[in-house]
Amino acid sequence: MSAADTVEEAAPENDCAIGVDIGGTKVAAGLVDAEGTVVARTRRDTPDRSCSPRVVENTIVGAVEELLDRAGDEGRAVSAVGIGAAGFVGADRATVVFAPHLSWRDEPLRESLGSRIGRPITVDNDANAAAWAESRFGAARGESHVVMITLGTGIGGALVIDHELQRGRFGTAGEFGHMQVVPDGIRCECGNRGCWEQYASGNALVREARGLMSARSPVAEDLLARVGGDPSRLAGPLVTEAAREGDPTARELIAEIGHWLGVGMAGLAAAFDPGSFVIGGGVSAAGELLLDPAREAFRRRLPGRGYRPEARIVQAALGPDAGLIGAADLARHESGPAH
Protein backbone atom coordinates (compact mmCIF):
# COMPACT_ATOMS: atom_id res chain seq x y z
CA MET A 1 0.00 0.00 0.00
CA SER A 2 1.40 3.41 -0.96
CA ALA A 3 1.46 6.57 1.13
CA ALA A 4 -1.29 7.95 -1.11
CA ASP A 5 -3.47 4.97 -0.12
CA THR A 6 -2.89 5.32 3.61
CA VAL A 7 -4.15 8.87 3.98
CA GLU A 8 -7.33 10.57 2.82
CA GLU A 9 -8.90 7.36 1.55
CA ALA A 10 -12.31 8.94 1.06
CA ALA A 11 -11.64 12.57 0.21
CA PRO A 12 -14.55 14.23 -1.59
CA GLU A 13 -13.95 15.02 -5.25
CA ASN A 14 -14.19 18.75 -4.68
CA ASP A 15 -12.14 18.80 -1.46
CA CYS A 16 -9.22 21.20 -1.87
CA ALA A 17 -6.66 22.90 0.29
CA ILE A 18 -4.58 25.99 -0.39
CA GLY A 19 -0.80 25.80 -0.31
CA VAL A 20 1.44 28.85 -0.01
CA ASP A 21 5.17 28.62 -0.77
CA ILE A 22 7.11 31.61 0.55
CA GLY A 23 10.52 32.05 -1.04
CA GLY A 24 13.11 34.78 -1.20
CA THR A 25 11.63 36.42 -4.31
CA LYS A 26 8.05 35.21 -4.69
CA VAL A 27 5.01 34.03 -2.76
CA ALA A 28 3.40 31.27 -4.85
CA ALA A 29 -0.01 29.95 -3.86
CA GLY A 30 -2.20 27.25 -5.33
CA LEU A 31 -5.56 25.57 -4.90
CA VAL A 32 -4.68 21.87 -4.71
CA ASP A 33 -7.07 18.92 -4.91
CA ALA A 34 -6.79 15.61 -3.05
CA GLU A 35 -4.76 14.06 -5.91
CA GLY A 36 -2.08 16.75 -5.70
CA THR A 37 -3.23 18.61 -8.82
CA VAL A 38 -2.96 22.41 -8.80
CA VAL A 39 -6.33 23.57 -10.10
CA ALA A 40 -5.71 27.32 -9.68
CA ARG A 41 -2.70 29.41 -8.79
CA THR A 42 -1.54 32.94 -8.07
CA ARG A 43 1.69 34.64 -7.06
CA ARG A 44 2.97 37.80 -5.44
CA ASP A 45 6.41 39.34 -4.99
CA THR A 46 7.96 38.57 -1.62
CA PRO A 47 8.15 41.75 0.47
CA ASP A 48 11.64 43.03 1.20
CA ARG A 49 13.16 41.72 4.43
CA SER A 50 13.02 45.27 5.82
CA CYS A 51 9.23 45.15 5.73
CA SER A 52 7.31 44.40 8.90
CA PRO A 53 5.77 40.96 9.51
CA ARG A 54 2.37 42.54 8.93
CA VAL A 55 3.29 43.38 5.32
CA VAL A 56 4.23 39.76 4.65
CA GLU A 57 1.05 38.62 6.37
CA ASN A 58 -1.01 40.91 4.13
CA THR A 59 0.66 39.42 1.04
CA ILE A 60 -0.22 35.88 2.14
CA VAL A 61 -3.80 36.81 3.02
CA GLY A 62 -4.27 38.51 -0.36
CA ALA A 63 -3.15 35.41 -2.23
CA VAL A 64 -5.30 33.10 -0.11
CA GLU A 65 -8.40 35.28 -0.43
CA GLU A 66 -8.02 35.33 -4.21
CA LEU A 67 -7.92 31.53 -4.30
CA LEU A 68 -10.84 31.21 -1.88
CA ASP A 69 -12.92 33.37 -4.22
CA ARG A 70 -11.92 31.26 -7.22
CA ALA A 71 -12.71 28.06 -5.33
CA GLY A 72 -16.14 29.41 -4.46
CA ASP A 73 -16.82 30.33 -8.07
CA GLU A 74 -16.02 26.74 -9.07
CA GLY A 75 -18.03 25.14 -6.27
CA ARG A 76 -14.97 23.73 -4.52
CA ALA A 77 -14.67 23.40 -0.75
CA VAL A 78 -11.40 24.54 0.88
CA SER A 79 -10.68 22.64 4.07
CA ALA A 80 -7.36 24.17 5.17
CA VAL A 81 -4.40 26.38 4.31
CA GLY A 82 -0.78 25.25 4.45
CA ILE A 83 2.20 27.59 4.59
CA GLY A 84 5.67 26.48 3.50
CA ALA A 85 8.35 28.91 4.67
CA ALA A 86 12.08 29.02 3.93
CA GLY A 87 13.47 29.04 7.45
CA PHE A 88 13.29 27.37 10.84
CA VAL A 89 9.78 26.40 11.88
CA GLY A 90 9.21 25.51 15.52
CA ALA A 91 8.08 22.09 16.69
CA ASP A 92 4.64 23.62 17.36
CA ARG A 93 4.14 23.89 13.57
CA ALA A 94 2.82 27.39 14.24
CA THR A 95 5.86 29.63 14.72
CA VAL A 96 8.54 30.69 12.25
CA VAL A 97 11.59 30.88 14.50
CA PHE A 98 13.86 32.42 11.88
CA ALA A 99 13.44 33.19 8.16
CA PRO A 100 16.62 34.48 6.47
CA HIS A 101 14.80 36.31 3.66
CA LEU A 102 12.09 37.91 5.82
CA SER A 103 11.72 39.87 9.03
CA TRP A 104 10.23 36.88 10.88
CA ARG A 105 11.88 36.18 14.23
CA ASP A 106 9.79 33.96 16.54
CA GLU A 107 6.79 34.98 14.43
CA PRO A 108 3.51 33.37 15.60
CA LEU A 109 2.38 32.95 12.01
CA ARG A 110 -0.48 30.51 12.52
CA GLU A 111 -2.03 32.73 15.17
CA SER A 112 -1.50 35.90 13.12
CA LEU A 113 -3.16 34.44 10.02
CA GLY A 114 -5.83 32.35 11.70
CA SER A 115 -8.19 35.16 12.60
CA ARG A 116 -7.98 36.61 9.09
CA ILE A 117 -8.25 33.53 6.89
CA GLY A 118 -10.92 31.56 8.73
CA ARG A 119 -9.51 28.11 7.90
CA PRO A 120 -7.25 25.72 9.84
CA ILE A 121 -3.64 26.66 9.15
CA THR A 122 -0.51 24.52 9.12
CA VAL A 123 3.02 26.00 8.98
CA ASP A 124 6.03 23.99 7.91
CA ASN A 125 9.49 24.34 6.41
CA ASP A 126 9.42 24.62 2.61
CA ALA A 127 11.77 21.65 2.09
CA ASN A 128 9.53 19.50 4.32
CA ALA A 129 6.57 20.50 2.19
CA ALA A 130 8.43 19.66 -1.04
CA ALA A 131 9.56 16.28 0.32
CA TRP A 132 6.02 15.42 1.34
CA ALA A 133 4.73 16.29 -2.13
CA GLU A 134 7.39 14.21 -3.89
CA SER A 135 6.73 11.22 -1.61
CA ARG A 136 2.96 11.45 -2.05
CA PHE A 137 2.61 12.44 -5.69
CA GLY A 138 6.03 12.78 -7.32
CA ALA A 139 9.36 11.05 -7.92
CA ALA A 140 9.25 8.98 -4.71
CA ARG A 141 5.58 8.08 -4.70
CA GLY A 142 5.08 4.87 -2.73
CA GLU A 143 8.61 4.91 -1.25
CA SER A 144 8.58 4.63 2.56
CA HIS A 145 12.05 6.11 3.25
CA VAL A 146 12.96 9.28 1.33
CA VAL A 147 15.66 11.92 1.65
CA MET A 148 14.87 15.12 -0.23
CA ILE A 149 17.75 17.43 -1.13
CA THR A 150 17.06 20.86 -2.59
CA LEU A 151 19.97 22.49 -4.38
CA GLY A 152 19.45 26.20 -4.71
CA THR A 153 21.48 29.09 -3.37
CA GLY A 154 22.37 26.68 -0.56
CA ILE A 155 21.23 23.16 0.31
CA GLY A 156 17.97 22.35 2.02
CA GLY A 157 16.62 18.95 2.90
CA ALA A 158 13.96 16.83 4.51
CA LEU A 159 13.32 13.28 5.69
CA VAL A 160 10.31 11.04 5.20
CA ILE A 161 10.58 7.80 7.19
CA ASP A 162 7.81 5.20 7.20
CA HIS A 163 5.66 7.68 5.24
CA GLU A 164 6.02 10.28 8.02
CA LEU A 165 7.92 13.56 7.93
CA GLN A 166 10.72 13.71 10.49
CA ARG A 167 11.07 17.23 11.82
CA GLY A 168 13.34 16.61 14.80
CA ARG A 169 12.90 17.42 18.46
CA PHE A 170 12.92 21.18 17.87
CA GLY A 171 11.41 21.20 14.38
CA THR A 172 14.59 22.00 12.45
CA ALA A 173 15.77 18.63 11.11
CA GLY A 174 17.01 18.44 7.52
CA GLU A 175 19.59 21.24 7.52
CA PHE A 176 21.93 18.97 5.58
CA GLY A 177 23.71 21.85 3.89
CA HIS A 178 25.60 22.58 7.09
CA MET A 179 27.14 19.17 7.58
CA GLN A 180 30.90 19.48 7.41
CA VAL A 181 32.38 17.61 4.44
CA VAL A 182 35.81 19.32 4.29
CA PRO A 183 37.61 19.98 7.61
CA ASP A 184 38.82 23.61 7.71
CA GLY A 185 37.32 24.14 4.24
CA ILE A 186 35.62 27.17 2.72
CA ARG A 187 34.02 29.52 5.23
CA CYS A 188 30.21 29.25 5.30
CA GLU A 189 27.67 31.96 6.09
CA CYS A 190 26.59 29.89 9.10
CA GLY A 191 29.98 30.64 10.69
CA ASN A 192 31.59 27.24 10.25
CA ARG A 193 34.01 25.95 7.61
CA GLY A 194 33.69 23.19 5.04
CA CYS A 195 29.89 22.95 4.99
CA TRP A 196 28.37 20.77 2.26
CA GLU A 197 26.58 23.67 0.61
CA GLN A 198 29.89 25.39 -0.03
CA TYR A 199 30.69 22.57 -2.47
CA ALA A 200 27.35 21.33 -3.86
CA SER A 201 24.99 24.27 -4.39
CA GLY A 202 24.10 27.04 -6.80
CA ASN A 203 26.39 29.42 -4.94
CA ALA A 204 29.28 26.97 -5.26
CA LEU A 205 28.65 26.56 -8.99
CA VAL A 206 28.63 30.31 -9.62
CA ARG A 207 31.64 30.92 -7.37
CA GLU A 208 33.79 28.42 -9.25
CA ALA A 209 32.67 29.66 -12.66
CA ARG A 210 33.30 33.30 -11.77
CA GLY A 211 36.75 32.36 -10.44
CA LEU A 212 37.72 30.97 -13.84
CA MET A 213 36.21 33.95 -15.64
CA SER A 214 37.88 36.53 -13.42
CA ALA A 215 41.23 34.83 -14.01
CA ARG A 216 40.54 35.15 -17.76
CA SER A 217 41.14 31.43 -18.14
CA PRO A 218 40.88 30.38 -21.78
CA VAL A 219 38.60 27.51 -20.74
CA ALA A 220 36.01 30.09 -19.63
CA GLU A 221 35.82 31.96 -22.95
CA ASP A 222 32.35 30.65 -23.80
CA LEU A 223 30.95 31.58 -20.39
CA LEU A 224 32.54 35.05 -20.60
CA ALA A 225 31.01 35.60 -24.01
CA ARG A 226 27.57 34.72 -22.68
CA VAL A 227 27.77 37.53 -20.09
CA GLY A 228 29.47 40.13 -22.27
CA GLY A 229 32.78 39.77 -20.46
CA ASP A 230 31.31 40.65 -17.05
CA PRO A 231 31.62 37.75 -14.55
CA SER A 232 29.26 39.49 -12.11
CA ARG A 233 26.39 38.88 -14.54
CA LEU A 234 26.79 35.11 -14.35
CA ALA A 235 24.00 33.07 -12.74
CA GLY A 236 23.60 29.35 -12.22
CA PRO A 237 20.96 28.79 -14.95
CA LEU A 238 23.36 30.22 -17.53
CA VAL A 239 26.01 27.63 -16.58
CA THR A 240 23.38 24.90 -16.92
CA GLU A 241 22.34 26.25 -20.32
CA ALA A 242 25.96 26.29 -21.50
CA ALA A 243 26.46 22.73 -20.26
CA ARG A 244 23.40 21.50 -22.11
CA GLU A 245 24.72 23.12 -25.27
CA GLY A 246 27.98 21.23 -24.92
CA ASP A 247 30.39 23.70 -23.32
CA PRO A 248 33.03 21.43 -21.72
CA THR A 249 33.91 23.81 -18.89
CA ALA A 250 30.28 24.24 -17.84
CA ARG A 251 29.89 20.47 -17.91
CA GLU A 252 32.99 20.03 -15.79
CA LEU A 253 31.73 22.57 -13.25
CA ILE A 254 28.36 20.85 -12.94
CA ALA A 255 30.06 17.45 -12.69
CA GLU A 256 32.13 18.77 -9.79
CA ILE A 257 28.96 19.89 -8.01
CA GLY A 258 27.56 16.42 -8.72
CA HIS A 259 30.64 14.79 -7.22
CA TRP A 260 30.23 16.66 -3.95
CA LEU A 261 26.51 15.94 -3.99
CA GLY A 262 27.32 12.23 -4.11
CA VAL A 263 29.86 12.53 -1.28
CA GLY A 264 27.27 14.08 1.00
CA MET A 265 24.56 11.61 0.06
CA ALA A 266 26.83 8.69 0.96
CA GLY A 267 27.04 10.10 4.48
CA LEU A 268 23.27 10.52 4.63
CA ALA A 269 22.82 6.93 3.42
CA ALA A 270 24.99 5.74 6.30
CA ALA A 271 22.77 7.63 8.72
CA PHE A 272 19.27 7.04 7.33
CA ASP A 273 19.42 4.18 4.76
CA PRO A 274 16.73 5.66 2.47
CA GLY A 275 15.22 3.91 -0.51
CA SER A 276 15.32 7.10 -2.61
CA PHE A 277 17.15 10.39 -2.74
CA VAL A 278 15.08 13.03 -4.54
CA ILE A 279 17.09 15.98 -5.87
CA GLY A 280 15.20 19.23 -6.37
CA GLY A 281 15.89 22.95 -6.48
CA GLY A 282 17.19 25.09 -9.32
CA VAL A 283 20.51 23.29 -9.77
CA SER A 284 18.66 20.01 -10.39
CA ALA A 285 17.63 21.42 -13.79
CA ALA A 286 21.00 20.13 -15.02
CA GLY A 287 19.46 16.65 -14.88
CA GLU A 288 21.76 13.75 -15.69
CA LEU A 289 24.74 16.09 -16.18
CA LEU A 290 24.52 16.51 -12.40
CA LEU A 291 23.07 13.17 -11.33
CA ASP A 292 25.43 10.82 -13.19
CA PRO A 293 28.54 12.19 -11.41
CA ALA A 294 26.57 12.21 -8.16
CA ARG A 295 25.71 8.52 -8.51
CA GLU A 296 29.33 7.65 -9.30
CA ALA A 297 30.67 9.51 -6.24
CA PHE A 298 27.88 8.06 -4.10
CA ARG A 299 28.82 4.49 -5.05
CA ARG A 300 32.51 5.13 -4.35
CA ARG A 301 31.87 6.61 -0.90
CA LEU A 302 28.98 4.41 0.24
CA PRO A 303 29.91 2.45 3.39
CA GLY A 304 29.81 -1.29 2.69
CA ARG A 305 29.60 -0.66 -1.04
CA GLY A 306 29.03 -3.79 -3.05
CA TYR A 307 27.38 -5.55 -0.11
CA ARG A 308 24.29 -3.47 0.46
CA PRO A 309 21.32 -2.24 -1.59
CA GLU A 310 21.78 1.24 -3.07
CA ALA A 311 19.20 3.99 -2.87
CA ARG A 312 17.79 5.40 -6.08
CA ILE A 313 18.96 8.92 -6.90
CA VAL A 314 16.32 10.71 -8.96
CA GLN A 315 15.39 14.21 -10.05
CA ALA A 316 12.32 15.74 -8.41
CA ALA A 317 9.19 15.46 -10.55
CA LEU A 318 7.00 18.33 -9.37
CA GLY A 319 9.35 21.24 -10.05
CA PRO A 320 8.57 24.60 -8.48
CA ASP A 321 5.05 23.44 -7.51
CA ALA A 322 6.34 20.89 -4.99
CA GLY A 323 6.36 23.31 -2.05
CA LEU A 324 2.82 24.57 -2.46
CA ILE A 325 1.45 21.09 -3.27
CA GLY A 326 3.08 19.66 -0.16
CA ALA A 327 1.99 22.55 2.06
CA ALA A 328 -1.62 22.14 0.90
CA ASP A 329 -1.62 18.37 1.35
CA LEU A 330 -0.06 18.56 4.81
CA ALA A 331 -2.68 21.12 5.84
CA ARG A 332 -5.48 18.89 4.57
CA HIS A 333 -4.25 15.92 6.61
CA GLU A 334 -3.52 17.96 9.73
CA SER A 335 -7.06 19.38 9.69
CA GLY A 336 -8.72 16.00 9.01
CA PRO A 337 -10.83 14.00 11.48
CA ALA A 338 -7.82 12.12 12.85
CA HIS A 339 -6.31 15.37 14.05
Side-chain angles (χ1 to χ4, degrees), residues 12 18 37 75 173 223 246 300:
I18 290 173
T37 301
L223 292 174
R300 289 183 176 180

Side-chain angles (χ1 to χ4, degrees), residues 69-91:
D69 289 343
R70 292 168 71 175
D73 292 342
E74 296 176 11
R76 296 179 182 271
V78 177
S79 59
V81 175
I83 310 292
F88 292 173
V89 176

